[in-house]
Amino acid sequence: MLHPDPAAPAAAAAAATRDGLPPMPGGPPHEESHFTASATVRDLVIGTADGLTVPFALAAGLSGAVAANPLIVTAGLAEIAAGCVAMGLGGYLAARTEADHYASERRREEEETRRYPEREKWEVAAILHRYGLKGEALRQAVEAIAADRRKWVDFMVRFELELSEPEPGRAARSAAAIGGAYVVGGLIPLFPYMIYAGTRPALVLSCAVTGAALLGFGWLKAKATGLPALRGAVQTLAIGGAAAGVAYLVARWVGG
Amino acid sequence: MLHPDPAAPAAAAAAATRDGLPPMPGGPPHEESHFTASATVRDLVIGTADGLTVPFALAAGLSGAVAANPLIVTAGLAEIAAGCVAMGLGGYLAARTEADHYASERRREEEETRRYPEREKWEVAAILHRYGLKGEALRQAVEAIAADRRKWVDFMVRFELELSEPEPGRAARSAAAIGGAYVVGGLIPLFPYMIYAGTRPALVLSCAVTGAALLGFGWLKAKATGLPALRGAVQTLAIGGAAAGVAYLVARWVGG
């Protein structure tokens, strides 16, 4: 090695703490291209956007068939309740399963670093090799990673298995927020059927209100997930409109 | 460096092709712990499992309220149509948006390696440093990755942004399979309401058939996604049961 340790005394203090990682150089101006909302606001926006579509389509569909408004409201609320439980409880249980899965995969990977260290070192090497590390630099990098079993297992779990460490508490809150917001989203297309006696004016108002809400929450959902906002708004409206149109035709055909 | 190139002539041929990546050592016996189904079978299983819950809960809920079987079937089919469009079209558009997002993030990362090479090298160093690379080994690893711009950008996109390259064609097929399977899953709880005139026997048969299907497809879905199968079966049944129970109570309370 040319420099097993940095020799220059001036750099010694910095190098001792940063282990050879130099101070961060300047980079692109830190424009915040992502929505700065908290995770909970994000979940509320996603849940509301998702909650709009199916209750809207179901109510529109039933209004094309036999149904009177009280029955449409009953069906809509039953759907909202079912969707809320499926998303909330489903999300919560899925998050707990993921957390257990992560823990058991991590244990297995750690076990493998003990029983088959050469094979696991080779797997580290194979990953780094894909990004251009070769020869002595590759060998040193593998030894450095394998020198600390915790970091070694971290590396394998993240880069071989492509698993991120789950946060179970966060996932539970997220499921509750999405499930709750699904109720709010579902009530938007439904409330016109509660205030009007006739099916036709309720349908017209529901289309207008839900169309605006699909655009607005589609926009916010795209912003919250870092995707192009106008495109998100138009797509969300298109999906809601298509779902409602198809549901209307099906219900008319079956029940009309 | 001790060995800038492997000196031993015996290893020269192998090293020339593998660039210092040795042959793979033996590892754990290659027991196939994952379901070996194709991606399409996986999508069909997931779509069917997801399609069972809400139509089942909606039909059960309505049977607790006013409704006669033809109306339950109409509402159920409208829901299935809406859910199928929402999942199929929604999945398809989301996949296309993801693919564009990936391409634009990749372009931006490449632009940054041209405009701010020192900063982007530092970011590579910061990631590797977390896994134990230090000093000269770290410096060499960063130089090796940054030597090939394509691999450098690959590294940043994968390990900084944590994006995987999407396959747009695959995503479209996946959305079609999930949307189609949602229809099949939704028809399972609904068919008893088509063959019986009375609400009570239809509800009983629907609960029995759907309960068995939730267990079976929950099992298969867990297998297909690499999670514990028995737990997946029980969870899917519990979510479907809870959703149906809540929908039943809501519909009874509102419409009964």
Side-chain angles (χ1 to χ4, degrees):
Chain A
M1 261 178 275
L2 286 172
H3 304 290
D5 287 306
T17 49
R18 310 298 303 262
D19 298 321
L21 182 67
M24 183 172 72
H30 209 65
E31 90 285 0
E32 194 56 61
S33 67
H34 296 299
F35 193 38
T36 52
S38 76
T40 302
V41 171
R42 226 193 77 164
D43 291 336
L44 292 173
V45 166
I46 292 174
T48 309
D50 290 351
L52 286 163
T53 294
V54 176
F56 169 55
L58 177 63
L62 286 177
S63 74
V66 286
N69 286 4
L71 196 89
I72 293 174
V73 171
T74 303
L77 291 176
E79 200 285 333
I80 291 171
C84 167
V85 171
M87 295 195 74
L89 183 59
Y92 171 72
L93 291 176
R96 271 194 31 192
T97 305
E98 278 302 326
D100 290 353
H101 179 64
Y102 178 86
S104 85
E105 289 291 310
R106 201 182 158 92
R107 266 196 307 277
R108 194 174 72 161
E109 207 61 51
E110 186 174 336
E111 169 78 11
E112 286 179 4
T113 63
R114 289 182 202 280
R115 292 186 56 194
Y116 309 100
E118 291 311 312
R119 168 61 168 269
E120 294 299 309
K121 278 186 192 174
W122 181 86
E123 290 179 358
V124 171
I127 291 165
L128 293 174
H129 183 260
R130 250 180 274 150
Y131 294 97
L133 265 71
K134 296 172 192 170
E136 186 60 16
L138 177 60
R139 204 192 60 72
Q140 284 184 22
V142 171
E143 289 306 322
I145 290 169
D148 178 332
R149 192 178 308 273
R150 197 186 149 76
K151 290 179 176 172
W152 188 6
V153 175
D154 280 350
F155 186 91
M156 295 308 295
V157 168
R158 173 93 186 281
F159 297 147
E160 190 204 14
L161 305 180
E162 300 192 40
L163 295 176
S164 300
E165 187 163 4
E167 306 169 67
R170 162 87 198 92
R173 284 195 304 279
S174 173
I178 289 181
Y182 191 88
V183 174
V184 176
L187 289 176
I188 292 172
L190 224 54
F191 90 86
Y193 297 92
M194 297 176 186
I195 60 174
Y196 280 113
T199 299
R200 185 65 37 179
L203 175 62
V204 170
L205 182 60
S206 181
C207 287
V209 178
T210 310
L214 285 165
L215 275 176
F217 281 97
W219 175 287
L220 289 174
K221 181 181 169 181
K223 279 279 198 193
T225 49
L227 298 171
L230 180 60
R231 179 168 172 174
V234 173
Q235 279 188 3
T236 307
L237 179 62
I239 294 164
V246 173
Y248 187 92
L249 291 176
V250 165
R252 249 201 119 85
W253 175 64
V254 179
Chain B
M1 261 179 275
L2 285 174
H3 304 290
D5 286 306
T17 48
R18 310 297 303 262
D19 298 321
L21 181 66
M24 183 172 73
H30 209 65
E31 90 284 1
E32 193 57 61
S33 68
H34 295 300
F35 193 40
T36 53
S38 76
T40 302
V41 171
R42 224 192 80 164
D43 291 336
L44 292 174
V45 165
I46 291 173
T48 308
D50 289 352
L52 286 164
T53 294
V54 176
F56 169 54
L58 176 63
L62 286 177
S63 73
V66 285
N69 286 4
L71 195 89
I72 292 175
V73 171
T74 303
L77 291 176
E79 201 284 335
I80 291 172
C84 166
V85 171
M87 294 195 74
L89 183 60
Y92 171 71
L93 292 175
R96 272 195 31 193
T97 305
E98 278 303 325
D100 291 354
H101 179 64
Y102 178 86
S104 85
E105 289 292 309
R106 201 182 159 92
R107 267 196 307 277
R108 194 174 71 164
E109 207 61 50
E110 185 173 338
E111 169 78 13
E112 285 179 6
T113 63
R114 289 181 200 281
R115 292 185 56 194
Y116 309 100
E118 291 311 313
R119 167 61 169 269
E120 294 299 308
K121 279 185 191 174
W122 181 87
E123 289 180 359
V124 171
I127 290 165
L128 293 175
H129 184 259
R130 250 180 274 148
Y131 295 97
L133 265 71
K134 296 171 192 172
E136 186 60 17
L138 177 60
R139 203 192 60 72
Q140 284 185 20
V142 171
E143 289 305 323
I145 290 170
D148 178 333
R149 191 178 308 275
R150 197 185 149 74
K151 290 178 176 173
W152 189 5
V153 174
D154 281 349
F155 187 92
M156 296 308 296
V157 169
R158 173 95 188 279
F159 298 145
E160 189 204 15
L161 305 180
E162 300 192 39
L163 295 176
S164 300
E165 186 162 5
E167 306 169 66
R170 163 87 199 91
R173 284 195 304 280
S174 173
I178 289 179
Y182 190 88
V183 174
V184 176
L187 289 176
I188 291 172
L190 225 54
F191 90 86
Y193 297 91
M194 298 176 185
I195 60 174
Y196 280 113
T199 299
R200 185 65 36 179
L203 175 62
V204 171
L205 182 60
S206 182
C207 286
V209 178
T210 310
L214 285 165
L215 274 177
F217 282 96
W219 175 286
L220 288 174
K221 181 180 170 181
K223 278 280 197 191
T225 49
L227 298 171
L230 180 61
R231 179 166 170 174
V234 172
Q235 279 188 3
T236 306
L237 178 63
I239 294 164
V246 173
Y248 187 92
L249 292 176
V250 165
R252 249 200 120 85
W253 174 65
V254 179

